[in-house]
Amino acid sequence: MGKLTSLEVTNLTSILNCFSYVSGLTINEAKSKVWFSANTSAGSKRILMNSFQVTEADADGKYLGCPIAVDSERSFDYLIEKFEKRLNHWKANFITHAGRLVLIESVLDSLPIYAMGTITVPRKVIVKLTAIARNFFWGGKHDKKSLAYVA
């Protein structure tokens, strides 16, 4: 957006109003948040938030399910939690290795696809997700290392 001035706020308001008029769509202030760069002053933030009746997004906020600011592997903990949550419901000791492979390939492998298509997922996170799937395949438990029968 550039430097925040009252003229820019007025222009942005005008653009959004024109869009709303033409499309019939409006901004839902209750669901809308704004994310500022680190060098935005508190006064500028206040002006913009008051003008649009929105709140400030958290630094660890998400947009369409993906983290807005990727600062470390911690930003992708939600992917690891998704894997583990899904595996907690599966009773692997009642599933054959072929069944486990089908579950991994059809369900687990599809979970991070959107995130991987929108942002670069760190290699350490991919290694961790692979380890979780591998442990489930060989041992039936995602949280314990198991003996692999094939190298």
Side-chain angles (χ1 to χ4, degrees):
M1 185 167 157
K3 190 167 175 81
L4 186 63
T5 64
S6 59
L7 178 63
E8 286 199 13
V9 171
T10 304
N11 287 341
L12 186 57
T13 304
S14 176
I15 290 168
L16 291 173
N17 288 337
C18 287
F19 174 79
S20 178
Y21 178 75
V22 170
S23 67
L25 302 173
T26 58
I27 295 175
N28 184 343
E29 285 94 4
K31 292 182 178 180
S32 299
K33 295 183 183 274
V34 64
W35 189 61
F36 296 100
S37 67
N39 59 354
T40 305
S41 70
S44 295
K45 290 179 182 181
R46 210 172 24 260
I47 290 169
L48 190 66
M49 289 189 298
N50 290 338
S51 298
F52 294 105
Q53 299 299 309
V54 294
T55 58
E56 184 175 2
D58 298 333
D60 60 345
K62 291 182 180 179
Y63 177 70
L64 298 177
C66 291
I68 293 173
V70 179
D71 56 351
S72 67
E73 285 87 27
R74 262 185 343 106
S75 301
F76 297 94
D77 284 349
Y78 75 98
L79 281 177
I80 295 167
E81 289 169 11
K82 273 186 181 179
F83 260 57
E84 291 171 344
K85 183 178 177 185
R86 192 61 59 106
L87 289 173
N88 285 337
H89 298 294
W90 294 343
K91 305 290 184 218
N93 50 343
F94 297 116
I95 304 172
T96 64
H97 279 92
R100 291 180 201 171
L101 182 62
V102 168
L103 286 172
I104 289 168
E105 289 180 345
S106 63
V107 179
L108 287 184
D109 286 351
S110 67
L111 291 176
I113 286 177
Y114 177 72
M116 290 178 167
T118 56
I119 48 180
T120 304
V121 177
R123 182 157 179 73
K124 287 182 180 181
V125 174
I126 295 170
V127 168
K128 175 72 173 166
L129 295 176
T130 303
I132 291 170
R134 187 179 301 125
N135 289 339
F136 172 74
F137 179 77
W138 287 113
K141 302 217 185 272
H142 65 85
D143 54 352
K144 288 186 181 177
K145 194 166 184 165
S146 57
L147 180 66
Y149 299 115
V150 178

